[in-house]
Amino acid sequence: RLYRITVPPALGAAEAAAATPRTVLAGAVAGGGSPTPGELKLSLSFEPKAVGRVEFGLPLELSGVATTPNLRRLVFGEGLRARLAVSESTVQLGEVIVRDVSLPYTHEFTLISQDDEPLKWAIDSSALDGTGFSVPEGRGTLAPRETAQVLLHFAPQRPMPVDVLLPVIVDTHEFEPGANSYLCVRLRATAAQPRLEFDRSEVILPPVPLGHVSRACFFALNVGYDSLETRVRVAGDRLRMPLEVSFPEGRLVGIAKKRLLVMVSFRAQKPASFTTRLEFLDEDGYCFAIPVSATTDASILTTQPYVAGAEVGRLRWEAAELAEPRAGVAIRDLHEEEREAASPPRRGSTSPRRRSSTEATPVVDADATGAPAEAALEAEPSGARKTTGEATEATPSSKAAEERLLKLAQSVLHGQESTSTPRGSRSEEETTVAMAASVRAGGLLTALISSLVVALPSAGGSFPAALCASKGKAAIELVEVLSGKRVSIPQVAAADRKNAKQVARWTLGHFEALLSFLRGCGALLAPVKADHLLSLDDFMKLAEAGVGTIPSTAKGGRLSRRRIKSLTAEHTGAHAPSWVEVLFQVARALLFSRITPKAFYAQPFPLTMPDSALTALQREAPRAPTANAYSSSEALLLRWLEAHYALAWPDAPPLTIVDAAAALRDGRVFAAVISSHVPATAAPARPTSKGSFKRAAGPLATLSAAPCDEDGALSNVRAVLRALHELGVPFATSRADETDYAPALYGATARELLLLALHLHSSLPHLVPKTVITLAGGLHERVVKEIELSNPSRKPLEYEVRLDGAACFCLGDKTPTASGAAKTSLRLEPRTSLKVEVGMLSAFSGEMSGQLFFLSRGDGVGSSNASSLVFNLKAQVSFGQPHEELAFEARLYAPTVFQLTIAPPPQLARALEGGSVRVELYEDRPPLEAAQSPGSGAT
C-alpha cells in the first residue's frame, strides 16, 4: 500500500505559536525499505519554541482512497522550560589562519541558568580532540538566574574545515567523558594557511606606443601573516617580458598593515603583447600569483585606447626627426619626460648594496639549467641585485624620490594616468560611455568588413549580438577568407547538440581557436579572453560549470544573486570592447598589412596626376626609429591621402597629417581623394552644351570650408558617403543599408577614421580608368567597339554598367539620350565571357570624352564581390559624308537664288530639347578642274 502524508499539519493559532516551524517528517516513506514487511516507520522531530502543550492529528491517508477515521492518529508534544540556556547555539568563527597554540583565536559564549536551584555544569572537552578547539575552564556551578562566560580557544595546526558539537552536561557530581549531554553548542570554523590575495582577478596594463611606460597599480591583501617581507618574480622569459615591480609604500605586511600597494610598469622598443603571472612568495616558498597582461605597438589601431584616455596636455604629436619629414609620426609623453628629468641619474656601479623597501624589485626567474625559481631565490644573498637581463627603475635614493614614487602610484591608482580599473568596477555612467564607444566602433568595423570582404550578419540586434548569434562562425569565416588558411576548430558531438552547456563549451572552444590563430598571424590580443566573446547566456552557463577563466562559486548548480550581478557587470564591461579589439586586430594583421611599399607603389594612380607628384609619392623614405604613432602601413595610407589632397586642391596649403583624428574628422580630405580619382563627383552643375548632357552638380561640388563647425563637418561626411554610394562602393554593411554613418564618423577616433581611409584605398584605385577607348567617325555615323569580359571565378559577377560624359556615347545599338547617364545591368555566369558593345553616334563634330563604368554589385555570398572597372571614352567626330546633296545649273556670272531648308536630325533635336542653335556656313570650294568639267555645276 502507498501512504501519503500532508506536511505541514493544520494547527490553530495557539498551537502554531507553541510548535516549532520545523515540524517535519524524517525517514523513509516507502514500505519497500522497512525492517518488517508491511511495516512503515515514521520519525517526527519536535523542537519547541515556547513552553506549552501541542497536539495535532497526524494527516495520514491512503493514496486514492477516501480518508477513514481508523487512520487518524493524535500527536502530543510538550515544551518544557529549559534549565540551562546558551547565548548562541552555533559559534561561527569563519575562516581563520593556521597558527601556533600559544596564540589561539578566542571566542566567548554565555551559559544562563533558568533553574530554581543551583545548577552544576560541565563541558565534555573530549569531543574537541584533534579539532583545534579547547576550553580552558570547562565546569562550574550556577546560582538561579546566574550567567557564566565560557572561553573558547581555537588554534588549528593544519588547513581543514571544522564542524563539531560541544556537549554541555548538567547535574553531575563526578564528570565522566561521554556522559549524556543536556545541550550541545555547534562550533564551526575553516582553518587555512596564511596567504596573499589581490583586489582584482587580473592586471591589464594599458596598450602604449613603443618607448612609452605603461603602469598599473593594485593591492596585495594580507590574510593571516603577522609579519612578511614580500618577494616577487615574473613567470616566463624576463627578456621578452620586461616587467618592473615597485612598492611605493614598502614591502612589509603584517598585523598593522593589511594591504600592500604594488605598481607594475612596462616599457619596450619592439611590438609585444603577452600575459604572464606575477608571483609573490612568502618565507616558506608559497606562491600567490596574479595574471598581468601588457601590450605595446607602433600602431594607432592598437594604442588608441591609451591615446584617447590620456589627460589633456600629456601627449604631443610631432613628425619624427629625420631628413625626410614624412618618414613617421612620433607621440611624446611629456609627463614621463618631466619625471625622468627630475629623477636622479642611474647609478653605474653594480656593487652589492642594501635595497630600499620602495625601489623597483628585479624580477626573478628559473636559472638557465631549469632549476626551480624557489632554489634560485634561496641561493641569492639577501639584498643582492641581479643584473643580467633585468631592467629596473632608478633606486629612490632620497626621501623626495620616495615621495615622487608614491605620488605617481596614487595618480595611477586613481585613474589619472592609466585605465587599469578592474572590469566590473566602473560606474554606470562610465559603462554607458564605454558601451556607446564600442558600439560606434563596432558599427564602423562591420561596415568596412562588409563592404570590402564579406557581408557580416546584421540580424540579432546591436553590435556584437549578430556575431555571437552565429556562435563565432561569421568571425572564423572572415579570418579564413582574409588569411587563406583554415582555422582548426573543435567539433561538437551529435549527442551534445541539444545540451546547452555542451554547446556553450563548444562555442568557447571556437573562440579560443580563433584567438590562437590570430595571435599566430601577429594580432596583439593577449588581454582578450575567449570567455568575454561569448553571449551573456553562454557566459553564465560556463560560470556555473566552472569552465573557462571564471572560477565557479555555484552551490548546488546555481549562482548566488550577488555573483550573478558581479558576472553580469563584468560581461557587460568586457564583451563589446573585446569584440572591438578582435576586429581591429583582424584589420591590422590581415587588411592593413597588405599595404606594403611594393604593393603600394604598384597600384594604379589617376591619369591626371603629374609626374612630379607621382614620383614624390612613390619615393620610399626610411622609417624613423622614434616613429611610434603609426605603423608603416598606416603611414603609407596617410601619405596616400596627402598626395591626393594636393592633387585635388593644388591651390590649398600642403597637408601634413600628424593627428589623424583632427585632420580627417571634417571629411574634406576624404572628399579630395574621391574627386582626385573621379573628377565628375566634384563637377559643378552645367546646362546643355555642345555634345554634353545637362547634368546636376556632383555630390562633392559644394563642401563646407575649413575650419568646419559640427554642422559643416556632418554635411561634408554625408556628401562623401553619398558620393561613394553613387560610385558603387558604399561604406555600409550592404547596398540596402540606409544607416547614417556621418555622426559616427564625426565622433570617431583616429583608428576608426582610418577604416574609412582603408575603404577608399581599397576601392578607389579600381575606379582609375584602365585604358582609353577611341571611337572615330563622321557626323551621324554609328561606330561600335566591343569589350570582352571574362569571369574565371566560381561565382557569378554582377555589374551595373553606367555611361557618363558626352551625349554621343551609347551602349550597343541604343540611341544616345540627353536626359542623363545611361545605365544598365549585366550578369556574368561562372567560367564564361561576355562581349559588351559601346558605340558613338554624334550630331556634332569635334572631340568629346566620357567614361564607361562597370560597377560591381556582388554581395560576396550569392555573387562575387569583384572589382569595379572604368574605361575612358574618346570620340573623334569629323564632317564625314554629306547629309544631303543639291544639284542645279546656272549661267556664268548670273546669280541664282534657291531656298535651303535646315532641319536638325532626330538625334540633334533630342539633344537641343527645345533650345536654339546657331548655324554657321562653311564654303568648301571644289578643285578647279572639277568645276571646269563639262556638265558640272557648283556644289
Side-chain angles (χ1 to χ4, degrees), residues 79-114:
L80 304 177
R81 187 181 64 181
R83 301 177 62 194
L84 182 67
V86 64
S87 59
E88 46 187 322
S89 59
T90 301
V91 175
Q92 293 275 10
L93 295 185
E95 185 179 85
V96 296
I97 302 301
V98 173
R99 60 175 21 176
D100 190 80
V101 294
S102 61
L103 297 172
Y105 295 92
T106 61
H107 184 83
E108 285 186 344
F109 63 91
T110 304
L111 294 178
I112 306 168
S113 173
Q114 297 181 347

Side-chain angles (χ1 to χ4, degrees), residues 571-591:
H571 184 270
T572 302
H575 181 52
S578 296
W579 271 111
V580 167
E581 293 304 321
V582 167
L583 293 182
F584 267 117
Q585 289 301 315
V586 168
R588 171 188 171 274
L590 301 177
L591 282 176

Side-chain angles (χ1 to χ4, degrees), residues 465-507:
L467 294 173
C468 296
S470 63
K471 304 296 182 182
K473 182 179 179 181
I476 292 175
E477 290 180 350
L478 167 66
V479 172
E480 289 178 343
V481 168
L482 291 176
S483 64
K485 300 178 182 179
R486 187 170 184 82
V487 180
S488 178
I489 58 177
Q491 300 297 325
V492 62
D496 295 334
R497 294 185 183 275
K498 295 183 179 180
N499 188 325
K501 288 188 177 181
Q502 287 299 112
V503 172
R505 295 185 183 186
W506 172 67
T507 306

Side-chain angles (χ1 to χ4, degrees), residues 864-915:
S864 294
N865 192 4
S867 301
S868 298
L869 303 174
V870 180
F871 299 91
N872 275 345
L873 301 179
K874 183 179 181 181
Q876 296 178 343
V877 185
S878 61
F879 285 106
Q881 298 299 321
H883 178 66
E884 184 180 358
E885 292 187 1
L886 299 177
F888 55 91
E889 295 181 355
R891 295 180 181 274
L892 290 175
Y893 306 110
T896 301
V897 179
F898 62 92
Q899 186 176 2
L900 179 64
T901 303
I902 300 177
Q907 301 91 335
L908 180 59
R910 286 192 295 268
L912 294 176
E913 292 184 350

Side-chain angles (χ1 to χ4, degrees), residues 398-416:
S398 64
K399 186 67 174 178
E402 295 180 1
E403 292 178 354
R404 286 196 299 267
L405 181 61
L406 179 59
K407 184 178 180 180
L408 172 62
Q410 291 174 346
S411 64
V412 173
L413 186 65
H414 289 85
Q416 297 178 7

Side-chain angles (χ1 to χ4, degrees), residues 29-115:
V29 291
S34 60
T36 304
E39 205 176 86
L40 177 64
K41 292 186 177 181
L42 303 178
S43 298
L44 297 181
S45 176
F46 177 55
E47 183 180 348
K49 296 299 183 181
V51 177
R53 181 181 176 85
V54 177
E55 64 179 47
F56 61 91
L58 185 65
L60 183 64
E61 60 183 24
L62 285 173
S63 179
V65 180
T67 304
T68 61
N70 296 335
L71 292 178
R72 182 173 178 81
R73 296 291 185 270
L74 292 178
V75 178
F76 298 93
E78 185 176 3
L80 304 177
R81 187 181 64 181
R83 301 177 62 194
L84 182 67
V86 64
S87 59
E88 46 187 322
S89 59
T90 301
V91 175
Q92 293 275 10
L93 295 185
E95 185 179 85
V96 296
I97 302 301
V98 173
R99 60 175 21 176
D100 190 80
V101 294
S102 61
L103 297 172
Y105 295 92
T106 61
H107 184 83
E108 285 186 344
F109 63 91
T110 304
L111 294 178
I112 306 168
S113 173
Q114 297 181 347
D115 205 354

